[in-house]
PDB file of all heavy atoms in Angstrom:
ATOM      1  N   GLY F  76     -10.105  57.112  43.892  1.00 45.00           N
ATOM      2  CA  GLY F  76     -11.062  57.748  44.785  1.00 45.00           C
ATOM      3  C   GLY F  76     -12.468  57.271  44.535  1.00 45.00           C
ATOM      4  O   GLY F  76     -13.347  58.056  44.196  1.00 45.00           O
ATOM      5  N   THR F  77     -12.680  55.969  44.676  1.00 41.00           N
ATOM      6  CA  THR F  77     -14.003  55.396  44.481  1.00 41.00           C
ATOM      7  C   THR F  77     -15.056  56.149  45.283  1.00 41.00           C
ATOM      8  O   THR F  77     -16.163  56.381  44.818  1.00 41.00           O
ATOM      9  CB  THR F  77     -13.988  53.930  44.942  1.00 41.00           C
ATOM     10  OG1 THR F  77     -13.102  53.205  44.115  1.00 41.00           O
ATOM     11  CG2 THR F  77     -15.360  53.321  44.864  1.00 41.00           C
ATOM     12  N   ALA F  78     -14.684  56.554  46.475  1.00 41.00           N
ATOM     13  CA  ALA F  78     -15.670  57.167  47.356  1.00 41.00           C
ATOM     14  C   ALA F  78     -15.854  58.649  47.088  1.00 41.00           C
ATOM     15  O   ALA F  78     -16.435  59.369  47.864  1.00 41.00           O
ATOM     16  CB  ALA F  78     -15.259  56.953  48.816  1.00 41.00           C
ATOM     17  N   GLY F  79     -15.380  59.127  45.942  1.00 44.00           N
ATOM     18  CA  GLY F  79     -15.567  60.531  45.610  1.00 44.00           C
ATOM     19  C   GLY F  79     -17.028  60.901  45.502  1.00 44.00           C
ATOM     20  O   GLY F  79     -17.393  62.075  45.587  1.00 44.00           O
ATOM     21  N   ALA F  80     -17.880  59.944  45.257  1.00 41.00           N
ATOM     22  CA  ALA F  80     -19.316  60.216  45.175  1.00 41.00           C
ATOM     23  C   ALA F  80     -19.988  59.972  46.515  1.00 41.00           C
ATOM     24  O   ALA F  80     -21.181  59.729  46.579  1.00 41.00           O
ATOM     25  CB  ALA F  80     -19.953  59.339  44.111  1.00 41.00           C
ATOM     26  N   GLY F  81     -19.224  60.053  47.579  1.00 41.00           N
ATOM     27  CA  GLY F  81     -19.752  59.756  48.903  1.00 41.00           C
ATOM     28  C   GLY F  81     -20.857  60.686  49.346  1.00 41.00           C
ATOM     29  O   GLY F  81     -21.623  60.354  50.252  1.00 41.00           O
ATOM     30  N   TYR F  82     -20.944  61.863  48.713  1.00 45.00           N
ATOM     31  CA  TYR F  82     -22.007  62.796  49.071  1.00 45.00           C
ATOM     32  C   TYR F  82     -23.353  62.356  48.493  1.00 45.00           C
ATOM     33  O   TYR F  82     -24.394  62.852  48.877  1.00 45.00           O
ATOM     34  CB  TYR F  82     -21.654  64.192  48.543  1.00 45.00           C
ATOM     35  CG  TYR F  82     -20.370  64.731  49.110  1.00 45.00           C
ATOM     36  CD1 TYR F  82     -19.192  64.689  48.370  1.00 45.00           C
ATOM     37  CD2 TYR F  82     -20.333  65.256  50.388  1.00 45.00           C
ATOM     38  CE1 TYR F  82     -17.995  65.166  48.886  1.00 45.00           C
ATOM     39  CE2 TYR F  82     -19.142  65.729  50.919  1.00 45.00           C
ATOM     40  CZ  TYR F  82     -17.983  65.684  50.172  1.00 45.00           C
ATOM     41  OH  TYR F  82     -16.808  66.160  50.695  1.00 45.00           O
ATOM     42  N   LEU F  83     -23.323  61.428  47.542  1.00 47.00           N
ATOM     43  CA  LEU F  83     -24.547  60.961  46.897  1.00 47.00           C
ATOM     44  C   LEU F  83     -24.938  59.605  47.468  1.00 47.00           C
ATOM     45  O   LEU F  83     -24.154  58.651  47.418  1.00 47.00           O
ATOM     46  CB  LEU F  83     -24.339  60.845  45.375  1.00 47.00           C
ATOM     47  CG  LEU F  83     -23.838  62.096  44.669  1.00 47.00           C
ATOM     48  CD1 LEU F  83     -23.441  61.778  43.246  1.00 47.00           C
ATOM     49  CD2 LEU F  83     -24.912  63.182  44.694  1.00 47.00           C
ATOM     50  N   TYR F  84     -26.108  59.539  48.034  1.00 60.00           N
ATOM     51  CA  TYR F  84     -26.624  58.271  48.572  1.00 60.00           C
ATOM     52  C   TYR F  84     -25.635  57.631  49.553  1.00 60.00           C
ATOM     53  O   TYR F  84     -25.318  56.446  49.468  1.00 60.00           O
ATOM     54  CB  TYR F  84     -26.926  57.295  47.443  1.00 60.00           C
ATOM     55  CG  TYR F  84     -27.799  57.870  46.366  1.00 60.00           C
ATOM     56  CD1 TYR F  84     -27.307  58.059  45.082  1.00 60.00           C
ATOM     57  CD2 TYR F  84     -29.114  58.238  46.633  1.00 60.00           C
ATOM     58  CE1 TYR F  84     -28.106  58.606  44.081  1.00 60.00           C
ATOM     59  CE2 TYR F  84     -29.912  58.776  45.637  1.00 60.00           C
ATOM     60  CZ  TYR F  84     -29.406  58.959  44.371  1.00 60.00           C
ATOM     61  OH  TYR F  84     -30.190  59.498  43.391  1.00 60.00           O
ATOM     62  N   TYR F  85     -25.178  58.421  50.478  1.00 75.00           N
ATOM     63  CA  TYR F  85     -24.125  57.960  51.384  1.00 75.00           C
ATOM     64  C   TYR F  85     -24.506  56.666  52.097  1.00 75.00           C
ATOM     65  O   TYR F  85     -23.751  55.683  52.067  1.00 75.00           O
ATOM     66  CB  TYR F  85     -23.815  59.058  52.401  1.00 75.00           C
ATOM     67  CG  TYR F  85     -22.716  58.712  53.357  1.00 75.00           C
ATOM     68  CD1 TYR F  85     -21.381  58.841  52.976  1.00 75.00           C
ATOM     69  CD2 TYR F  85     -22.993  58.255  54.641  1.00 75.00           C
ATOM     70  CE1 TYR F  85     -20.358  58.526  53.855  1.00 75.00           C
ATOM     71  CE2 TYR F  85     -21.977  57.934  55.519  1.00 75.00           C
ATOM     72  CZ  TYR F  85     -20.663  58.081  55.127  1.00 75.00           C
ATOM     73  OH  TYR F  85     -19.646  57.762  55.988  1.00 75.00           O
ATOM     74  N   GLU F  86     -25.649  56.632  52.711  1.00 83.00           N
ATOM     75  CA  GLU F  86     -26.039  55.439  53.450  1.00 83.00           C
ATOM     76  C   GLU F  86     -26.290  54.260  52.514  1.00 83.00           C
ATOM     77  O   GLU F  86     -25.976  53.108  52.837  1.00 83.00           O
ATOM     78  CB  GLU F  86     -27.289  55.717  54.299  1.00 83.00           C
ATOM     79  CG  GLU F  86     -27.042  56.669  55.458  1.00 83.00           C
ATOM     80  CD  GLU F  86     -25.963  56.167  56.402  1.00 83.00           C
ATOM     81  OE1 GLU F  86     -25.853  54.932  56.588  1.00 83.00           O
ATOM     82  OE2 GLU F  86     -25.222  56.993  56.938  1.00 83.00           O
ATOM     83  N   HIS F  87     -26.857  54.546  51.344  1.00 84.00           N
ATOM     84  CA  HIS F  87     -27.090  53.485  50.363  1.00 84.00           C
ATOM     85  C   HIS F  87     -25.762  52.850  49.942  1.00 84.00           C
ATOM     86  O   HIS F  87     -25.643  51.621  49.867  1.00 84.00           O
ATOM     87  CB  HIS F  87     -27.808  54.062  49.143  1.00 84.00           C
ATOM     88  CG  HIS F  87     -27.781  53.166  47.949  1.00 84.00           C
ATOM     89  ND1 HIS F  87     -28.449  51.961  47.907  1.00 84.00           N
ATOM     90  CD2 HIS F  87     -27.136  53.287  46.749  1.00 84.00           C
ATOM     91  CE1 HIS F  87     -28.240  51.392  46.742  1.00 84.00           C
ATOM     92  NE2 HIS F  87     -27.441  52.164  46.012  1.00 84.00           N
ATOM     93  N   LEU F  88     -24.777  53.671  49.698  1.00 86.00           N
ATOM     94  CA  LEU F  88     -23.469  53.147  49.300  1.00 86.00           C
ATOM     95  C   LEU F  88     -22.822  52.364  50.443  1.00 86.00           C
ATOM     96  O   LEU F  88     -22.189  51.330  50.226  1.00 86.00           O
ATOM     97  CB  LEU F  88     -22.552  54.283  48.858  1.00 86.00           C
ATOM     98  CG  LEU F  88     -22.964  55.030  47.585  1.00 86.00           C
ATOM     99  CD1 LEU F  88     -21.973  56.141  47.275  1.00 86.00           C
ATOM    100  CD2 LEU F  88     -23.090  54.079  46.409  1.00 86.00           C
ATOM    101  N   ASN F  89     -22.988  52.856  51.658  1.00 89.00           N
ATOM    102  CA  ASN F  89     -22.458  52.111  52.806  1.00 89.00           C
ATOM    103  C   ASN F  89     -23.084  50.724  52.899  1.00 89.00           C
ATOM    104  O   ASN F  89     -22.405  49.742  53.198  1.00 89.00           O
ATOM    105  CB  ASN F  89     -22.731  52.873  54.106  1.00 89.00           C
ATOM    106  CG  ASN F  89     -21.743  53.997  54.339  1.00 89.00           C
ATOM    107  OD1 ASN F  89     -20.691  54.041  53.719  1.00 89.00           O
ATOM    108  ND2 ASN F  89     -22.091  54.920  55.226  1.00 89.00           N
ATOM    109  N   ASP F  90     -24.388  50.650  52.638  1.00 90.00           N
ATOM    110  CA  ASP F  90     -25.078  49.366  52.704  1.00 90.00           C
ATOM    111  C   ASP F  90     -24.597  48.414  51.613  1.00 90.00           C
ATOM    112  O   ASP F  90     -24.715  47.184  51.759  1.00 90.00           O
ATOM    113  CB  ASP F  90     -26.595  49.572  52.583  1.00 90.00           C
ATOM    114  CG  ASP F  90     -27.192  50.237  53.820  1.00 90.00           C
ATOM    115  OD1 ASP F  90     -26.530  50.223  54.874  1.00 90.00           O
ATOM    116  OD2 ASP F  90     -28.304  50.788  53.715  1.00 90.00           O
ATOM    117  N   ASN F  91     -24.104  48.955  50.507  1.00 90.00           N
ATOM    118  CA  ASN F  91     -23.587  48.111  49.427  1.00 90.00           C
ATOM    119  C   ASN F  91     -22.361  47.315  49.856  1.00 90.00           C
ATOM    120  O   ASN F  91     -22.116  46.208  49.385  1.00 90.00           O
ATOM    121  CB  ASN F  91     -23.186  48.969  48.218  1.00 90.00           C
ATOM    122  CG  ASN F  91     -24.363  49.343  47.348  1.00 90.00           C
ATOM    123  OD1 ASN F  91     -25.457  48.834  47.517  1.00 90.00           O
ATOM    124  ND2 ASN F  91     -24.134  50.250  46.410  1.00 90.00           N
ATOM    125  N   ILE F  92     -21.565  47.900  50.735  1.00 92.00           N
ATOM    126  CA  ILE F  92     -20.252  47.341  51.070  1.00 92.00           C
ATOM    127  C   ILE F  92     -20.399  46.162  52.029  1.00 92.00           C
ATOM    128  O   ILE F  92     -21.005  46.286  53.091  1.00 92.00           O
ATOM    129  CB  ILE F  92     -19.355  48.423  51.701  1.00 92.00           C
ATOM    130  CG1 ILE F  92     -19.194  49.606  50.747  1.00 92.00           C
ATOM    131  CG2 ILE F  92     -17.982  47.844  52.045  1.00 92.00           C
ATOM    132  CD1 ILE F  92     -18.551  50.828  51.395  1.00 92.00           C
ATOM    133  N   LYS F  93     -19.840  45.033  51.650  1.00 92.00           N
ATOM    134  CA  LYS F  93     -19.832  43.853  52.524  1.00 92.00           C
ATOM    135  C   LYS F  93     -18.536  43.853  53.327  1.00 92.00           C
ATOM    136  O   LYS F  93     -17.535  44.427  52.911  1.00 92.00           O
ATOM    137  CB  LYS F  93     -19.943  42.577  51.675  1.00 92.00           C
ATOM    138  CG  LYS F  93     -21.229  42.492  50.863  1.00 92.00           C
ATOM    139  CD  LYS F  93     -21.258  41.274  49.969  1.00 92.00           C
ATOM    140  CE  LYS F  93     -20.353  41.449  48.753  1.00 92.00           C
ATOM    141  NZ  LYS F  93     -20.807  42.495  47.828  1.00 92.00           N
ATOM    142  N   GLN F  94     -18.548  43.207  54.490  1.00 94.00           N
ATOM    143  CA  GLN F  94     -17.350  43.182  55.311  1.00 94.00           C
ATOM    144  C   GLN F  94     -17.097  41.794  55.882  1.00 94.00           C
ATOM    145  O   GLN F  94     -17.999  40.967  55.979  1.00 94.00           O
ATOM    146  CB  GLN F  94     -17.423  44.206  56.437  1.00 94.00           C
ATOM    147  CG  GLN F  94     -18.511  43.951  57.456  1.00 94.00           C
ATOM    148  CD  GLN F  94     -18.386  44.846  58.675  1.00 94.00           C
ATOM    149  OE1 GLN F  94     -17.399  44.765  59.403  1.00 94.00           O
ATOM    150  NE2 GLN F  94     -19.375  45.701  58.887  1.00 94.00           N
ATOM    151  N   ASP F  95     -15.844  41.568  56.266  1.00 96.00           N
ATOM    152  CA  ASP F  95     -15.437  40.299  56.861  1.00 96.00           C
ATOM    153  C   ASP F  95     -14.243  40.564  57.778  1.00 96.00           C
ATOM    154  O   ASP F  95     -13.650  41.654  57.755  1.00 96.00           O
ATOM    155  CB  ASP F  95     -15.076  39.288  55.763  1.00 96.00           C
ATOM    156  CG  ASP F  95     -15.450  37.866  56.157  1.00 96.00           C
ATOM    157  OD1 ASP F  95     -15.281  37.536  57.347  1.00 96.00           O
ATOM    158  OD2 ASP F  95     -15.888  37.099  55.295  1.00 96.00           O
ATOM    159  N   VAL F  96     -13.887  39.544  58.561  1.00 96.00           N
ATOM    160  CA  VAL F  96     -12.819  39.684  59.550  1.00 96.00           C
ATOM    161  C   VAL F  96     -11.462  39.785  58.860  1.00 96.00           C
ATOM    162  O   VAL F  96     -11.213  39.120  57.852  1.00 96.00           O
ATOM    163  CB  VAL F  96     -12.837  38.489  60.525  1.00 96.00           C
ATOM    164  CG1 VAL F  96     -11.705  38.578  61.532  1.00 96.00           C
ATOM    165  CG2 VAL F  96     -14.192  38.430  61.227  1.00 96.00           C
ATOM    166  N   LEU F  97     -10.568  40.613  59.404  1.00 96.00           N
ATOM    167  CA  LEU F  97      -9.278  40.885  58.771  1.00 96.00           C
ATOM    168  C   LEU F  97      -8.328  39.700  58.803  1.00 96.00           C
ATOM    169  O   LEU F  97      -7.723  39.343  57.793  1.00 96.00           O
ATOM    170  CB  LEU F  97      -8.617  42.096  59.434  1.00 96.00           C
ATOM    171  CG  LEU F  97      -7.204  42.440  58.951  1.00 96.00           C
ATOM    172  CD1 LEU F  97      -7.208  42.780  57.465  1.00 96.00           C
ATOM    173  CD2 LEU F  97      -6.618  43.588  59.772  1.00 96.00           C
ATOM    174  N   ASN F  98      -8.160  39.064  59.965  1.00 96.00           N
ATOM    175  CA  ASN F  98      -7.141  38.013  60.108  1.00 96.00           C
ATOM    176  C   ASN F  98      -7.713  36.859  60.911  1.00 96.00           C
ATOM    177  O   ASN F  98      -8.082  37.028  62.077  1.00 96.00           O
ATOM    178  CB  ASN F  98      -5.897  38.583  60.793  1.00 96.00           C
ATOM    179  CG  ASN F  98      -4.746  37.594  60.842  1.00 96.00           C
ATOM    180  OD1 ASN F  98      -4.890  36.427  60.495  1.00 96.00           O
ATOM    181  ND2 ASN F  98      -3.597  38.060  61.287  1.00 96.00           N
ATOM    182  N   LEU F  99      -7.771  35.678  60.317  1.00 96.00           N
ATOM    183  CA  LEU F  99      -8.346  34.509  60.983  1.00 96.00           C
ATOM    184  C   LEU F  99      -7.290  33.595  61.582  1.00 96.00           C
ATOM    185  O   LEU F  99      -7.618  32.560  62.160  1.00 96.00           O
ATOM    186  CB  LEU F  99      -9.193  33.704  59.992  1.00 96.00           C
ATOM    187  CG  LEU F  99     -10.326  34.456  59.291  1.00 96.00           C
ATOM    188  CD1 LEU F  99     -11.127  33.496  58.414  1.00 96.00           C
ATOM    189  CD2 LEU F  99     -11.232  35.148  60.299  1.00 96.00           C
ATOM    190  N   GLY F 100      -6.011  33.928  61.425  1.00 93.00           N
ATOM    191  CA  GLY F 100      -4.941  33.091  61.950  1.00 93.00           C
ATOM    192  C   GLY F 100      -4.663  33.360  63.415  1.00 93.00           C
ATOM    193  O   GLY F 100      -5.095  34.369  63.979  1.00 93.00           O
ATOM    194  N   ASP F 101      -3.924  32.446  64.044  1.00 89.00           N
ATOM    195  CA  ASP F 101      -3.582  32.606  65.458  1.00 89.00           C
ATOM    196  C   ASP F 101      -2.417  33.567  65.669  1.00 89.00           C
ATOM    197  O   ASP F 101      -2.375  34.312  66.645  1.00 89.00           O
ATOM    198  CB  ASP F 101      -3.223  31.240  66.074  1.00 89.00           C
ATOM    199  CG  ASP F 101      -4.435  30.323  66.204  1.00 89.00           C
ATOM    200  OD1 ASP F 101      -5.570  30.845  66.202  1.00 89.00           O
ATOM    201  OD2 ASP F 101      -4.242  29.099  66.290  1.00 89.00           O
ATOM    202  N   SER F 102      -1.448  33.538  64.766  1.00 81.00           N
ATOM    203  CA  SER F 102      -0.264  34.374  64.951  1.00 81.00           C
ATOM    204  C   SER F 102      -0.473  35.737  64.308  1.00 81.00           C
ATOM    205  O   SER F 102      -1.183  35.867  63.305  1.00 81.00           O
ATOM    206  CB  SER F 102       0.972  33.709  64.343  1.00 81.00           C
ATOM    207  OG  SER F 102       0.824  33.550  62.951  1.00 81.00           O
ATOM    208  N   LYS F 103       0.114  36.730  64.899  1.00 82.00           N
ATOM    209  CA  LYS F 103       0.012  38.098  64.409  1.00 82.00           C
ATOM    210  C   LYS F 103       1.412  38.615  64.090  1.00 82.00           C
ATOM    211  O   LYS F 103       2.395  38.192  64.683  1.00 82.00           O
ATOM    212  CB  LYS F 103      -0.651  39.012  65.451  1.00 82.00           C
ATOM    213  CG  LYS F 103      -1.948  38.461  66.038  1.00 82.00           C
ATOM    214  CD  LYS F 103      -3.038  38.269  64.991  1.00 82.00           C
ATOM    215  CE  LYS F 103      -4.299  37.684  65.621  1.00 82.00           C
ATOM    216  NZ  LYS F 103      -5.341  37.392  64.605  1.00 82.00           N
ATOM    217  N   VAL F 104       1.477  39.539  63.148  1.00 85.00           N
ATOM    218  CA  VAL F 104       2.736  40.199  62.805  1.00 85.00           C
ATOM    219  C   VAL F 104       2.661  41.626  63.342  1.00 85.00           C
ATOM    220  O   VAL F 104       1.696  42.349  63.072  1.00 85.00           O
ATOM    221  CB  VAL F 104       2.970  40.214  61.287  1.00 85.00           C
ATOM    222  CG1 VAL F 104       4.198  41.047  60.934  1.00 85.00           C
ATOM    223  CG2 VAL F 104       3.131  38.788  60.770  1.00 85.00           C
ATOM    224  N   ALA F 105       3.652  42.016  64.106  1.00 81.00           N
ATOM    225  CA  ALA F 105       3.649  43.336  64.716  1.00 81.00           C
ATOM    226  C   ALA F 105       3.661  44.422  63.648  1.00 81.00           C
ATOM    227  O   ALA F 105       4.287  44.280  62.591  1.00 81.00           O
ATOM    228  CB  ALA F 105       4.857  43.492  65.635  1.00 81.00           C
ATOM    229  N   ALA F 106       2.941  45.501  63.903  1.00 86.00           N
ATOM    230  CA  ALA F 106       2.946  46.645  62.995  1.00 86.00           C
ATOM    231  C   ALA F 106       4.341  47.253  62.956  1.00 86.00           C
ATOM    232  O   ALA F 106       5.082  47.191  63.944  1.00 86.00           O
ATOM    233  CB  ALA F 106       1.925  47.679  63.447  1.00 86.00           C
ATOM    234  N   PRO F 107       4.746  47.842  61.831  1.00 86.00           N
ATOM    235  CA  PRO F 107       6.085  48.430  61.739  1.00 86.00           C
ATOM    236  C   PRO F 107       6.259  49.607  62.687  1.00 86.00           C
ATOM    237  O   PRO F 107       5.285  50.276  63.058  1.00 86.00           O
ATOM    238  CB  PRO F 107       6.182  48.867  60.270  1.00 86.00           C
ATOM    239  CG  PRO F 107       4.763  48.982  59.806  1.00 86.00           C
ATOM    240  CD  PRO F 107       3.994  47.959  60.566  1.00 86.00           C
ATOM    241  N   THR F 108       7.503  49.844  63.061  1.00 80.00           N
ATOM    242  CA  THR F 108       7.818  50.967  63.941  1.00 80.00           C
ATOM    243  C   THR F 108       7.674  52.277  63.169  1.00 80.00           C
ATOM    244  O   THR F 108       8.132  52.383  62.033  1.00 80.00           O
ATOM    245  CB  THR F 108       9.262  50.847  64.465  1.00 80.00           C
ATOM    246  OG1 THR F 108       9.400  49.593  65.141  1.00 80.00           O
ATOM    247  CG2 THR F 108       9.595  51.989  65.412  1.00 80.00           C
ATOM    248  N   PRO F 109       7.019  53.284  63.744  1.00 85.00           N
ATOM    249  CA  PRO F 109       6.876  54.574  63.041  1.00 85.00           C
ATOM    250  C   PRO F 109       8.227  55.189  62.723  1.00 85.00           C
ATOM    251  O   PRO F 109       9.215  54.972  63.432  1.00 85.00           O
ATOM    252  CB  PRO F 109       6.104  55.430  64.057  1.00 85.00           C
ATOM    253  CG  PRO F 109       5.407  54.447  64.943  1.00 85.00           C
ATOM    254  CD  PRO F 109       6.322  53.271  65.042  1.00 85.00           C
ATOM    255  N   ASN F 110       8.293  55.971  61.649  1.00 83.00           N
ATOM    256  CA  ASN F 110       9.530  56.674  61.319  1.00 83.00           C
ATOM    257  C   ASN F 110       9.686  57.895  62.214  1.00 83.00           C
ATOM    258  O   ASN F 110       8.883  58.124  63.128  1.00 83.00           O
ATOM    259  CB  ASN F 110       9.566  57.050  59.830  1.00 83.00           C
ATOM    260  CG  ASN F 110       8.439  58.006  59.439  1.00 83.00           C
ATOM    261  OD1 ASN F 110       7.777  58.608  60.296  1.00 83.00           O
ATOM    262  ND2 ASN F 110       8.207  58.143  58.140  1.00 83.00           N
ATOM    263  N   ALA F 111      10.719  58.704  61.938  1.00 81.00           N
ATOM    264  CA  ALA F 111      11.014  59.846  62.801  1.00 81.00           C
ATOM    265  C   ALA F 111       9.858  60.838  62.851  1.00 81.00           C
ATOM    266  O   ALA F 111       9.701  61.573  63.832  1.00 81.00           O
ATOM    267  CB  ALA F 111      12.283  60.544  62.319  1.00 81.00           C
TER     268      ALA F 111
END
Side-chain angles (χ1 to χ4, degrees):
T77 296
Y82 300 101
L83 305 170
Y84 308 114
Y85 182 81
E86 291 302 326
H87 165 67
L88 294 179
N89 280 344
D90 290 342
N91 279 350
I92 302 169
K93 299 176 285 294
Q94 65 170 297
D95 214 322
V96 178
L97 175 61
N98 186 352
L99 303 184
D101 290 339
S102 63
K103 311 298 179 184
V104 173
T108 303
N110 62 14

